[in-house]
Amino acid sequence: MTPRSPATDTARNVLGPDFAGAVHIPGDPGYDEARTVFNSMIDRSPAVVAQCAGEADVARALRFAREEELEVAVRGGGHSVAGMALSEGGLVVDLRRMSTVDVDREARSARVGGGATMSDLDRATQPYALATTGGRVSTTGVGGFTLGGGSGWLERAFGLACDNLLAAEVVTADGGTVHASAQENPELFWALHGGGGNFGVVTSLTLRLHDLPAMSMALLLFRPENGPEAVRTYRNVMESAPDAAGGACIYITGPPEEWVPEAMVGRLVCAVLVTCAGTEAELREVAAPLLALEREAEVIDAIPYADLQCMLDDPPGMRNYWSAEYLDGFPDEAAAAFCAAAATMPVPSGSQHVLFPMGGAVARGPADYPLPWRSSPWAVHPFGVWESEAGDEEAKQWVRRVRGDFVPWASGAVYLNFIGREGQERVVAGFGEHAYERLSRVKARYDPDNVFHLNHNVKPAVAEV
């Protein structure tokens, strides 16, 4: 039984009368569901979960937390691998009820609630043949994803998610509301392009949409011994591919699907995914060198983008530990190291050993945003996913070993949405030193007391005396 605090006992009375959402405290029937996040390694017991229905609820919850001196966590999709959406004994500002997506077809934009998931956004835009860069799974929260930079299947064609951020509504630590855009509070607007949830609770985002009349994909499965050739071929394909092409090389456990040979199910498999913001014919032209290789299974088809987003969804209730390295290059030696590291990946498990191509619109995006990794041509992402506590050490050690293997090619920059708590040096590496200093000054203006510190934290600048 979670112990009750004085704040727990007063939360419903203080928040309740004018609170349009729902308040969950320990002992409530909905409390355990309200404190559950996707990473089952995270088991924290907040004193209060405030499921907000609008900006007024968010402001009220923040004021209550300040008055009661409760640590504040902010939950959108709840997809932070480090469990930053929960605070032990604190207050969670839960945005999941604020998930409305309003599409403006003429303006090619969408206003997205702070608690919306990628599925909410993609399903709303798909009827108009419009889309914007989203996460690679449908359950990712749009808010945290975008504020952290936002890397996804469409990034080479349309840029990072934050490159498509047009405006945001932010509730600050004192309960005030600030509108941020290129014209209004531009320094805060700049900080929201990669600076994460450091500056307030983003209750809505306006995102640029792009025409996407067709989407297609090829998923090819290779035996592990044929993996090195497949990985090198994919690298060569992507180095000259049009921006519409993307995808990844992914070592996985063979899934129990009808199209997967029985001998590959439950065993290590090298998968090559080629995505194309275009027709199947365009995809086949790009992927021709890969389609010439001997392979064990394939799926090649046109696919609605929203369905592609669901294809690699993380199974719920699993334990997760991730990291990443962004690379200055991916020569044959790096390809060999990538394939060799797959041999020690926990199998069978939900783990994935991923190589992403960057470039295209990502590399051409605004250079002054706090995203030093955008110039890296490749990224390696060891993605540990497993079922039981008994597998914790094996999975963590594998992820850390992969990071170590890629030090010779690593740029030092990192996409913070891909990692857990890896220390303050990695946080600075995620923003770049100069950008971190600028973010710190923005932080001092909008959150001088560092109320929003359950994140990849930017500490507020100390005023010079």
Side-chain angles (χ1 to χ4, degrees):
M1 182 73 163
T2 303
R4 298 169 71 92
S5 69
T8 302
D9 292 330
T10 61
R12 187 170 280 119
N13 290 333
V14 173
L15 293 175
D18 298 311
F19 197 83
V23 177
H24 292 285
I25 61 176
D28 284 355
Y31 173 78
D32 282 334
E33 186 280 329
R35 72 180 185 92
T36 299
V37 291
F38 94 104
N39 185 357
S40 66
M41 292 181 73
I42 309 302
D43 183 15
R44 297 184 188 138
S45 301
V48 184
V49 179
Q51 294 186 328
C52 302
E55 284 184 4
D57 282 357
V58 172
R60 183 176 293 274
L62 288 174
R63 286 194 291 267
F64 176 76
R66 299 295 299 274
E67 290 164 3
E68 298 292 335
E69 298 183 345
L70 296 174
E71 184 177 49
V72 173
V74 181
R75 176 175 184 154
H79 216 261
S80 158
V81 68
M84 295 172 181
L86 293 179
S87 60
E88 182 66 40
L91 181 142
V92 176
V93 178
D94 187 336
L95 303 176
R96 283 179 290 175
R97 291 180 175 225
M98 301 169 62
S99 60
T100 301
V101 178
D102 295 317
V103 177
D104 186 332
R105 185 175 185 176
E106 296 303 315
R108 281 180 166 72
S109 67
R111 184 181 171 93
V112 185
T117 64
M118 293 315 316
S119 182
D120 295 324
L121 174 58
D122 297 335
R123 297 296 176 189
T125 61
Q126 188 161 283
Y128 305 102
L130 297 171
T132 196
T133 301
R136 294 178 176 90
V137 296
S138 68
T139 53
T140 299
V142 177
F145 169 78
T146 302
L147 299 176
S151 172
W153 300 129
L154 294 176
E155 64 190 355
R156 284 173 45 85
F158 301 149
L160 299 171
C162 73
D163 295 341
N164 293 289
L165 179 63
L166 300 174
E169 299 294 326
V170 185
V171 179
T172 55
D174 61 3
T177 299
V178 177
H179 179 79
S181 68
Q183 294 76 37
E184 197 171 345
N185 299 298
E187 193 68 359
L188 174 60
F189 186 60
W190 169 84
L192 298 178
H193 288 75
N198 273 285
F199 313 100
V201 181
V202 175
T203 55
S204 74
L205 310 94
T206 301
L207 298 172
R208 180 186 298 109
L209 302 178
H210 303 264
D211 292 323
L212 188 65
M215 191 77 199
S216 53
M217 55 78 66
L219 182 59
L220 315 176
L221 299 189
F222 299 87
R223 294 182 183 275
E225 56 266 32
N226 295 329
E229 182 183 18
V231 170
R232 290 192 303 269
T233 303
Y234 178 75
R235 175 201 60 193
N236 296 342
V237 164
M238 291 309 303
E239 286 182 345
S240 60
D243 293 352
C249 288
I250 318 172
Y251 278 92
I252 58 173
T253 296
E257 302 286 348
E258 288 184 8
W259 61 277
V260 178
E262 186 176 348
M264 302 187 87
V265 174
R267 301 191 178 193
L268 184 67
V269 172
C270 178
V272 175
L273 173 66
V274 183
T275 61
C276 181
T279 64
E280 183 182 337
E282 292 170 318
L283 168 77
R284 286 182 176 274
E285 182 177 354
V286 171
L290 286 159
L291 299 179
L293 300 179
E294 180 182 350
R295 54 198 181 276
E296 305 303 312
E298 66 179 41
V299 175
I300 305 173
D301 206 354
I303 184 172
Y305 173 63
D307 292 349
L308 173 66
Q309 289 285 73
C310 300
M311 196 171 70
L312 295 176
D313 274 359
D314 308 320
M318 304 293 279
R319 302 172 78 80
N320 284 254
Y321 185 80
W322 318 336
S323 194
E325 286 292 351
Y326 280 69
L327 312 180
D328 287 328
F330 194 70
D332 286 351
E333 295 82 1
F338 177 77
C339 297
T344 58
M345 186 177 82
V347 175
S349 76
S351 299
Q352 301 175 22
H353 181 38
V354 190
L355 171 72
F356 289 124
M358 305 295 288
V362 177
R364 294 193 303 272
D368 74 323
Y369 289 160
L371 302 164
W373 47 272
R374 75 152 71 238
S375 61
S376 297
W378 294 95
V380 169
H381 181 30
F383 189 93
V385 182
W386 65 101
E387 291 188 17
S388 69
E389 188 175 349
D392 285 4
E393 280 311 304
E394 179 188 8
K396 288 180 178 180
Q397 287 177 12
W398 171 70
V399 169
R400 292 167 183 155
R401 190 160 53 244
V402 172
R403 271 202 63 202
D405 290 345
F406 281 87
V407 167
W409 304 283
S411 68
V414 64
Y415 174 39
L416 294 174
N417 281 358
F418 272 176
I419 71 172
R421 298 184 186 275
E422 296 185 1
Q424 191 64 14
E425 286 187 6
R426 285 279 271 179
V427 172
V428 175
F431 301 126
E433 289 187 16
H434 177 73
Y436 181 87
E437 292 173 1
R438 184 176 171 186
L439 290 169
S440 186
R441 293 191 293 271
V442 179
K443 177 80 168 181
R445 178 177 177 184
Y446 291 95
D447 184 21
D449 298 324
N450 206 9
V451 170
F452 303 108
H453 63 264
L454 289 180
N455 44 42
H456 291 295
N457 194 232
V458 173
K459 294 177 172 54
V462 177
E464 294 183 7
V465 179

